[in-house]
Amino acid sequence: MSDAALEELLADEAVRRGLGDHAHVPDRVADILRRLIASGGILPGTKVPEVRTTELLGVSRHTLRTAFQTLAAEGLVERRPNRGVFVHSPTVEDIRETYRVRRVVEIGAVRQGVFDPHAVEALESIIAAARTAVAADDLPAVAQANQQFHRLIIAQLGSDQLSTFMEQILARMRLVFHTMRDEPTFHTFYVERNARLTELLRHGDRPAAETYLADYFDAAEQQLLETMG
């Protein structure tokens, strides 16, 4: 990513979110950067220039560094001595750890979430959009639909804290996916898996849905590990 492109993204986010008027500015700065990372706006290995970022967002260096500390704790950025702050480049252990967390959180959501007809219909709508994107060879849209699907799974728990935590997980997953330039169709393989999971939830077969999602995660983790070598 060029410096100009990064500047444009940051400036746009600052304007759209009214950053300067918000009381919890470090949290909002962290949210801006987190969302840019999760959306692919800032790729793994990209340096986030401190001085220019403070100018674009209209915040102090202390505020930005507080936001960096939050993102570092989430595994999204890292400070390299004498070089600055960079978006984290995922490792094999990152993949293993992320899937350990996803097994606990998402399988727990399948077990305890409220999947009423409205929620199931929302999941089916996401799947329909993903199928349309596959047919159009719109791979970014397929990836986005996949994130929306898993975000909605967690939302059925009705917990703001878990939904916020899921955003952190999805951001870390996005870092992994951005390193897989040789496997751009990765998400297309999971559209029908999402459909099968939704079918089980529609029929209220929670035990089968839990087992299916566990197998789903096993397959995805193994594919990612093999791709990363």
Side-chain angles (χ1 to χ4, degrees):
M1 165 178 285
S2 68
D3 290 344
L6 179 57
E7 289 188 8
E8 183 177 351
L9 285 169
L10 290 170
D12 179 62
E13 287 288 331
V15 171
R16 287 199 305 113
R17 297 177 183 280
L19 183 62
D21 298 327
H22 200 281
H24 303 287
V25 179
D27 291 340
R28 290 301 298 273
V29 172
D31 184 58
I32 286 173
L33 294 173
R34 184 187 299 112
R35 288 179 179 275
L36 287 174
I37 291 169
S39 68
I42 309 178
L43 297 174
T46 299
K47 182 178 181 179
V48 184
E50 292 188 50
V51 174
R52 189 57 180 144
T53 299
T54 60
E55 293 173 352
L56 289 166
L57 298 183
V59 299
S60 68
R61 295 187 72 174
H62 174 74
T63 294
L64 180 61
R65 287 175 178 176
T66 300
F68 281 153
Q69 289 174 354
T70 298
L71 297 176
E74 297 172 8
L76 298 179
V77 302
E78 56 192 40
R79 182 174 291 281
R80 301 177 187 175
N82 302 316
R83 296 186 61 194
V85 175
F86 292 77
V87 176
H88 179 64
S89 295
T91 65
V92 165
E93 183 52 36
D94 288 330
I95 294 174
R96 292 183 174 131
E97 174 63 14
T98 298
Y99 274 94
R100 280 193 288 267
V101 172
R102 293 188 71 181
R103 287 183 180 93
V104 173
V105 177
E106 291 194 60
I107 292 176
V110 165
R111 181 184 305 120
Q112 299 184 24
V114 180
F115 291 93
D116 57 21
H118 177 74
V120 172
E121 288 172 6
L123 291 171
E124 291 173 340
S125 177
I126 292 172
I127 293 164
R131 285 170 170 161
T132 298
V134 170
D137 199 29
D138 187 351
L139 300 180
V142 178
Q144 182 179 17
N146 186 66
Q147 285 213 331
Q148 290 174 339
F149 180 88
H150 291 283
R151 184 180 289 116
L152 189 55
I153 291 288
I154 296 300
Q156 303 321 301
L157 289 168
S159 168
D160 289 341
Q161 290 187 12
L162 284 173
S163 290
T164 298
F165 183 48
M166 188 61 184
E167 289 303 321
Q168 299 172 14
I169 295 171
L170 291 174
R172 293 186 67 174
M173 287 303 304
R174 181 67 85 173
L175 289 181
V176 173
F177 297 141
H178 285 313
T179 67
M180 296 181 61
R181 294 180 178 84
D182 294 334
E183 294 287 341
T185 61
F186 174 83
H187 288 96
T188 63
F189 302 122
Y190 294 91
V191 173
E192 297 310 317
R193 285 180 177 267
N194 290 345
R196 175 56 180 160
L197 178 62
T198 302
E199 182 181 357
L200 292 171
L201 291 171
R202 174 176 281 284
H203 288 90
D205 194 345
R206 299 296 183 99
E210 288 182 48
T211 299
Y212 187 81
L213 186 54
D215 292 342
Y216 174 130
F217 283 155
D218 288 346
E221 180 182 18
Q222 186 60 35
Q223 184 178 358
L224 288 167
L225 290 173
E226 289 176 355
T227 299
M228 290 190 72

